[in-house]
Amino acid sequence: MPLTPDRKRQLTTAALVAPAGIWLFVFLVLPFMAMVVFAFGERAPEGGYQAAFTFAQFANLPSRAAAFWNTMMIAPVGAFLCLIVAYPVAYYLAIKSNPKYRIVLVSLVVVPFWTSLLVRTYAWMYILGSRGIPNLLGMIGIEDVRLLNTPGAVLLGIVYGYLPLMIMPIYVSLEKLDRRLLEASADLGARPISTFLSVTLPLSLPGVMTGVALVTILLLGEYLIPQLLGGGKVFFIGNALVDLFLQSRNWPFGSAIAVTLVVVVVIVLSVAMRIAWKVSGSRQVDLV
């Protein structure tokens, strides 16, 4: 029996989607299901997982309240600082820069990704350490300045490491902006600040929300930056997970924290989408 055109399109779509669907199921859905199972288990005497059904691991979550608090406070602040720095850069690239050099400037934004985040974070450890900026300040009489192993150092590392992820979605959103709308606003007598607040910012909001959601979600599981620049004094959920899975080998408790983190990420994503829908007046907002 010959296939109808609609059936052929459905089969073609299924064939194209199937590899990605299988990949996500194997490497995302199945591991999450395993974590859910582990979260309701118990720690075996020798470490690891022991089959059980208990809510004790979730009841023990307050013991890691400091890690949750640091993450929930520093991650949004880091995302906000990235936004403050990224928006002017993206605006210049998309609106003000010379089109002939725009691709070069955009490439410079991506260049940091060519180097490992680990290497770049180690560089900041040297810059903020005793032989870096504090040493230079000591030469001019400013003594006992400590920059490393502080929340400020962690925030600086976050902005440096995640800034390109914030710039690119905003740039794409601004680059698609219809310039005639800006010209019409100016022709109607609106000042530049009014044009920005009433035209540019609302139309770029999908890119802003995409960048904020992307950076915030990644920061909720961040481990490397607080470990190196925080020196163990700024403890994130990611640090707690590494400790529980690799050091104390308490897999059920670590899984309970990981499942809770996933729930928090889903809530953050949902709230971000709702805010974008309400402000932009449209549901055509892509956050992934």
Side-chain angles (χ1 to χ4, degrees):
M1 181 177 179
L3 296 175
T4 64
D6 288 341
R7 184 60 176 170
K8 288 182 179 179
R9 284 194 294 269
Q10 292 174 359
L11 292 176
T12 301
T13 302
L16 294 173
V17 172
I22 294 173
W23 177 277
L24 291 174
F25 181 77
V26 172
F27 294 102
L28 181 64
V29 177
L30 287 182
F32 180 73
M33 293 172 62
M35 282 195 304
V36 172
V37 173
F38 283 6
F40 291 97
E42 295 178 344
R43 183 184 185 276
E46 68 280 4
Y49 167 74
Q50 179 173 289
F53 184 77
T54 175
F55 291 91
Q57 309 304 331
F58 291 97
N60 197 31
L61 288 177
S63 66
R64 298 287 175 165
F68 276 97
W69 175 259
N70 288 338
T71 304
M72 297 306 161
M73 290 295 102
I74 297 180
V77 172
F80 177 75
L81 292 177
C82 284
L83 175 62
I84 294 300
V85 177
Y87 200 100
V89 176
Y91 183 87
Y92 175 80
L93 292 176
I95 305 296
K96 299 296 184 180
S97 65
N98 190 324
K100 294 192 301 182
Y101 305 111
R102 186 170 298 162
I103 186 64
V104 176
L105 297 175
V106 173
S107 299
L108 292 177
V109 173
V110 183
V111 163
F113 280 119
W114 296 359
T115 306
S116 169
L117 178 62
L118 177 63
V119 175
R120 289 182 280 138
T121 305
Y122 266 115
W124 277 108
M125 288 181 66
Y126 180 85
I127 294 172
L128 300 177
S130 59
R131 292 180 293 177
I133 295 178
N135 184 46
L136 296 177
L137 294 176
M139 293 179 180
I140 59 176
I142 304 177
E143 303 287 348
D144 299 326
V145 175
R146 185 169 68 90
L147 301 177
L148 196 61
N149 302 335
T150 63
V154 174
L155 285 173
L156 181 60
I158 286 172
V159 173
Y160 177 78
Y162 287 90
L163 188 60
L165 294 178
M166 183 70 75
I167 291 176
M168 296 310 299
I170 300 176
Y171 165 77
V172 171
S173 183
L174 289 171
E175 200 272 336
K176 296 178 180 178
L177 186 65
D178 190 345
R179 304 296 193 279
R180 292 174 298 180
L181 296 175
L182 304 181
E183 295 172 358
S185 178
D187 291 342
L188 292 173
R191 295 183 178 181
I193 186 63
S194 299
T195 299
F196 174 78
L197 294 176
S198 60
V199 179
T200 306
L201 183 59
L203 292 178
S204 65
L205 188 62
V208 171
M209 298 308 301
T210 299
V212 171
L214 179 62
V215 172
T216 302
I217 289 171
L218 292 176
L219 286 178
L220 291 177
E222 178 60 47
Y223 162 76
L224 182 64
I225 293 175
Q227 179 68 22
L228 297 181
L229 298 182
K233 298 179 180 180
V234 182
F235 210 65
F236 272 33
I237 295 176
N239 304 100
L241 292 176
V242 170
D243 176 64
L244 289 170
F245 277 98
L246 301 182
Q247 303 297 328
S248 60
R249 288 180 50 81
N250 192 344
W251 295 2
F253 188 31
S255 297
I257 292 178
V259 170
T260 304
L261 179 60
V262 171
V263 173
V264 170
V265 168
V266 171
I267 293 174
V268 169
L269 186 61
S270 301
V271 170
M273 292 178 67
R274 285 187 175 275
I275 293 174
W277 293 341
K278 289 182 179 180
V279 176
S280 65
S282 171
R283 293 202 170 209
Q284 301 300 318
V285 179
D286 297 323
L287 295 180
V288 293

